[in-house]
Amino acid sequence: MTSFLEKYNLKDPVCLYKWTWSTIRLMEGTTNSCHRVKSDKLTPDTYKNFHNTPSKLIHRQKMQNGIWPGEGCEYCKAIEDAGGTSDRNDLNTAIELAPIELQQDPKAIKVTPKLVEVYFNNLCNLNCIYCSSDYSTLWEVEEKKFGLRDPEEWKEIEKARKQYPEMLKQHWKWMEENVRHVTEYRVLGGEPFFQPELEQNIDFFFNNPCPNTRFLIFSNLKVKNQRMRKLLDKVVELQKIKHISGFQVVCSFDCWGSEIEYIRTGLNLKQWEENFLTLLHDYPSISVQIHGTLISLTMQTLPVLCEKIAGWNSVKHISHSLNFACGLPHMEVGIFPPGFFDKEFDRCIELHNDDWTKNMLVGYKKKVNAQKYEPEKIIELKTTLDEIDKRRGTNWKKLWPWLDSYEV
């Protein structure tokens, strides 16, 4: 299979993420071209250039010169150095996502995005232990109540948030002018089903036909089933009139059982499963993916989730993707001794029939086992969980006795 690099005669470490992908966080006024890299500031005045900020242009030029640009790109480099398949390797196979400018000039660095994802605000009804107030209003309440952030930092955050109405206005303006060139448009949160902006996006596509644009949302599925159906019925109508090329619900979900209700504090597993089965059985035109965050606490029952996915695939194809938690070294899987989670990784690999998911998991296993054992971070993990328990009235030791008894 010809890759993006081969077609345009580019060399490693060029990454299609840098050329075609932009994430925008409207409420905080930032953008980046991969979740792993440092964000750039955005204002209403600079919004139209979100994909071609000065640092993005510098990173693209460095990659063309054979240099890893750093500032977060180490994530993929570490996976590749361990012999795994990184996000960069994976996306570089998607030639169809290359920006149109490369057809005229393969060395172009100022380009038009084909993958755009937007975080409108942090309105969310969950309090996931690896999250923060940047993406959850429940976390924000907790951080303010217990003084978990510096007051000066909150002043800067509130200053950025005052721009939100104008940022939102600039976003819709950009969409009206450019969305027909976008192959994939993603809405994240917070929780989209909990936010009025989801309906605004649906209405936008009713008023602006984009037959070549695929629309996705990332959801924790903590929503009343009736409300979810009401919104999905509108999306199905968009599909019928061909105002979008397709629609996918990416279900944010990490493992199974009581463990997931602790990790994603506020989640009700029974409600999640009801809503997921509604998607599975009642909406054949809507594709479904499960996307999870890998931390050491998810590993225990990740194989149980993989067993569930194997069963659901007999009804409808359910893709499964995973990534590591960002910015929380004490929650990383690889702080434990090499081989510590091999049994869980091997079981998950065995359960999946999809080569893409298998390769992803094999790469993650290699990356984890190539990491240095860091017992001091295990101590930090236990301390962090103790602090969470004090704030939330929970008890992590009942769910992870293996961690409680682990001697550093």
Side-chain angles (χ1 to χ4, degrees), residues 129-395:
I129 63 169
Y130 48 70
C131 196
S132 70
S133 58
D134 295 334
Y135 305 103
S136 167
T137 41
L138 292 183
W139 253 112
E140 181 170 332
V141 170
E142 188 167 330
E143 287 184 6
K144 289 179 175 178
K145 179 178 179 180
F146 294 97
L148 303 179
R149 269 196 177 185
D150 188 283
E152 292 301 313
E153 190 175 357
W154 278 116
K155 288 180 182 179
E156 290 300 311
I157 291 170
E158 294 301 331
K159 183 179 177 181
R161 289 179 178 181
K162 289 179 181 178
Q163 299 184 116
Y164 182 71
E166 188 59 32
M167 291 287 282
L168 191 59
K169 191 181 298 182
Q170 292 301 316
H171 173 69
W172 294 127
K173 181 180 178 182
W174 187 91
M175 288 281 285
E176 288 173 358
E177 295 172 357
N178 297 280
V179 72
R180 289 166 186 80
H181 303 297
V182 174
T183 301
E184 192 164 287
Y185 176 72
R186 301 179 169 198
V187 173
L188 300 89
E191 169 48 45
F193 278 123
F194 205 56
Q195 299 174 339
E197 286 85 353
L198 176 56
E199 291 188 74
Q200 293 173 22
N201 277 281
I202 293 172
D203 290 341
F204 174 86
F205 284 110
F206 270 112
N207 296 322
N208 298 269
C210 299
N212 298 316
T213 301
R214 190 168 177 245
F215 182 19
L216 291 83
I217 65 168
F218 283 64
S219 173
N220 60 40
L221 294 190
K222 186 180 180 182
V223 56
K224 289 183 179 180
N225 191 265
Q226 185 178 3
R227 172 170 171 75
M228 185 183 78
R229 287 177 180 273
K230 178 182 176 182
L231 292 169
L232 293 181
D233 288 345
K234 292 181 71 173
V235 168
V236 170
E237 185 60 29
L238 280 176
Q239 291 179 298
K240 287 179 179 177
I241 62 177
K242 297 184 178 179
H243 277 212
I244 54 175
S245 67
F247 185 77
Q248 183 175 70
V249 178
V250 181
C251 307
S252 299
F253 199 71
D254 311 315
C255 55
W256 195 259
S258 299
E259 289 84 352
I260 189 64
E261 293 185 326
Y262 182 100
I263 292 167
R264 290 181 165 265
T265 307
L267 181 141
N268 181 300
L269 184 55
K270 184 178 179 181
Q271 180 188 43
W272 187 93
E273 191 168 20
E274 177 193 5
N275 286 333
F276 182 82
L277 293 177
T278 296
L279 282 168
L280 188 69
H281 293 286
D282 296 351
Y283 290 91
S285 67
I286 293 176
S287 61
V288 181
Q289 180 179 8
I290 291 177
H291 179 73
T293 297
L294 272 178
I295 60 175
S296 57
L297 301 183
T298 64
M299 293 303 299
Q300 178 174 285
T301 58
L302 178 59
V304 182
L305 174 60
C306 292
E307 289 177 10
K308 293 275 188 181
I309 292 171
W312 292 328
N313 265 299
S314 65
V315 180
K316 176 179 179 177
H317 176 65
I318 307 296
S319 57
H320 186 201
S321 63
L322 295 152
N323 63 7
F324 293 104
C326 206
L328 296 167
H330 60 287
M331 290 193 181
E332 288 186 7
V333 183
I335 63 175
F336 290 85
F340 191 82
F341 290 110
D342 278 3
K343 178 182 174 183
E344 288 80 7
F345 271 118
D346 290 343
R347 179 58 177 155
C348 292
I349 292 166
E350 176 189 352
L351 285 163
H352 279 289
N353 292 322
D354 182 86
D355 287 340
W356 182 87
T357 307
K358 280 182 178 289
N359 290 336
M360 172 193 65
L361 286 165
V362 168
Y364 286 178
K365 177 184 173 183
K366 289 179 179 179
K367 189 260 187 187
V368 165
N369 286 336
Q371 284 185 236
K372 177 185 174 183
Y373 174 45
E374 298 183 90
E376 69 282 358
K377 286 193 170 64
I378 299 175
I379 295 172
E380 184 183 354
L381 171 62
K382 291 184 176 185
T383 301
T384 299
L385 295 174
D386 286 340
E387 291 170 352
I388 289 173
D389 282 351
K390 287 179 183 178
R391 298 197 304 265
R392 301 182 183 180
T394 48
N395 187 349

Side-chain angles (χ1 to χ4, degrees), residues 7-26:
K7 180 168 182 178
Y8 295 100
N9 196 28
L10 300 167
K11 297 180 180 179
D12 287 332
V14 166
C15 172
L16 186 51
Y17 276 99
K18 297 287 189 183
W19 266 257
T20 200
W21 183 302
S22 266
T23 297
I24 307 151
R25 296 171 183 85
L26 286 171

Side-chain angles (χ1 to χ4, degrees), residues 18-87:
K18 297 287 189 183
W19 266 257
T20 200
W21 183 302
S22 266
T23 297
I24 307 151
R25 296 171 183 85
L26 286 171
M27 191 173 73
E28 67 179 46
T30 62
T31 180
N32 49 22
S33 285
C34 172
H35 290 181
R36 303 297 170 181
V37 302
K38 184 179 176 181
S39 297
D40 299 330
K41 292 291 185 182
L42 273 184
T43 67
D45 291 338
T46 62
Y47 188 84
K48 63 182 179 181
N49 293 318
F50 67 78
H51 192 59
N52 293 296
T53 62
S55 67
K56 290 186 183 186
L57 297 179
I58 290 170
H59 285 182
R60 290 169 195 156
Q61 190 64 67
K62 282 185 175 181
M63 284 186 159
Q64 286 190 350
N65 293 337
I67 302 169
W68 283 91
E71 297 187 347
C73 289
E74 298 86 353
Y75 177 85
C76 281
K77 189 175 187 302
I79 293 174
E80 293 174 28
D81 287 349
T85 301
S86 69
D87 293 347

